[in-house]
Amino acid sequence: LAKTTQPISMDSYEGQEVNITCSHNNIATNDYITWYQQFPSQGPRFIIQGYKTKVTNEVASLFIPADRKSSTLSLPRVSLSDTAVYYCLVGTPGGYQKVTFGTGTKLQVIP
Amino acid sequence: DADVTQTPRNRITKTGKRIMLECSQTKGHDRMYWYRQDPGLGLRLIYYSFDVKDINKGEISDGYSVSRQAQAKFSLSLESAIPNQTALYFCATSEDGQAMRELFFGEGSRLTVL
């Protein structure tokens, strides 16, 4: 199982770009990288998923280098409402039953 | 209405009582999951089900049981609740498939065992 390591917490000012890096040194060939966002007392919400290179959607970008041993979630121009916990997941084929959420990165956006 | 609905949203009970947390979904997904979250920790998988006849234990199934009554319904039971089962419980669903399909979570059920 791929183990992930990400910073426990980060602070950012409103309007700045935030990059959260996740290490997954033993990622398997078939694994995807998925990021979730969780607000207090709510269930996590899917943000973005990728396999290699760069993926962008209306919320975030995901950068994955060629060796795939890490990935970076980029949130452009954060606002106070982006204050949340962000989880990096690396998935084995077959679904979430073998995926660990971990403690995530707690992002605090400061006015 | 939410796609994944959990009831009750909050429950306070006493040690030794039987508790059932219910989850229903309108997404038409085959896969359903129950997670537990403790303060400051990530989510841990309790049980999962890939269809009505398929029930599997997750990382922390001891003290819990589940029932998949229909494709849309997946219930979690605590036969004899104990204080260290105080936690926030989430139900989630996903589509079938080999890839990591998006997980859709309910709003959570906060359980306090006194």
Side-chain angles (χ1 to χ4, degrees), chain A residues 31-34 36 38 40-46 49 87 89-104, chain B residues 9 31 33 35 37 40-45 48 50 58-59 88 90 94 97-108 110:
Chain A
D31 285 347
Y32 279 75
I33 300 155
T34 310
Y36 281 80
Q38 185 180 26
S41 297
Q42 293 187 26
R45 183 176 69 115
F46 174 93
Q49 183 181 88
Y87 297 98
L89 309 181
V90 174
T92 56
Y96 284 87
Q97 66 276 18
K98 296 180 181 178
V99 174
T100 301
F101 267 80
T103 54
Chain B
R9 294 292 312 283
R31 299 187 176 190
Y33 306 78
Y35 288 91
Q37 185 170 37
L41 300 180
L43 282 74
R44 292 183 290 170
L45 183 62
Y48 63 97
F50 282 2
E59 178 187 354
L88 185 55
F90 289 104
S94 74
Q98 287 298 306
M100 284 181 71
R101 306 289 183 180
E102 180 178 347
L103 272 175
F104 294 87
F105 284 85
E107 296 178 336
R110 187 172 297 280

Side-chain angles (χ1 to χ4, degrees), chain A residues 21-104:
Chain A
T21 297
C22 178
S23 296
H24 27 80
N25 290 321
N26 60 339
I27 189 169
T29 302
N30 295 334
D31 285 347
Y32 279 75
I33 300 155
T34 310
W35 286 79
Y36 281 80
Q37 173 192 56
Q38 185 180 26
F39 298 114
S41 297
Q42 293 187 26
R45 183 176 69 115
F46 174 93
I47 301 176
I48 198 166
Q49 183 181 88
Y51 182 79
K52 61 180 178 180
T53 64
K54 177 183 174 182
V55 180
T56 298
N57 62 21
E58 65 278 6
V59 176
S61 295
L62 179 59
F63 298 92
I64 305 169
D67 67 6
R68 304 202 325 126
K69 293 183 183 298
S70 66
S71 58
T72 299
L73 174 73
S74 181
L75 305 172
R77 299 226 285 261
V78 294
S79 64
L80 295 176
S81 63
D82 292 315
T83 294
V85 177
Y86 294 82
Y87 297 98
C88 165
L89 309 181
V90 174
T92 56
Y96 284 87
Q97 66 276 18
K98 296 180 181 178
V99 174
T100 301
F101 267 80
T103 54

Side-chain angles (χ1 to χ4, degrees), chain B residues 12-51:
Chain B
I12 300 174
T13 191
K14 294 183 178 180
T15 297
K17 294 291 188 182
R18 183 178 187 274
I19 295 296
M20 178 180 285
L21 306 180
E22 298 184 331
C23 177
S24 63
Q25 51 115 347
T26 58
K27 299 197 71 68
H29 291 166
D30 285 326
R31 299 187 176 190
M32 298 188 74
Y33 306 78
W34 273 105
Y35 288 91
R36 164 182 174 156
Q37 185 170 37
D38 295 281
L41 300 180
L43 282 74
R44 292 183 290 170
L45 183 62
I46 306 172
Y47 270 95
Y48 63 97
S49 169
F50 282 2
D51 65 42

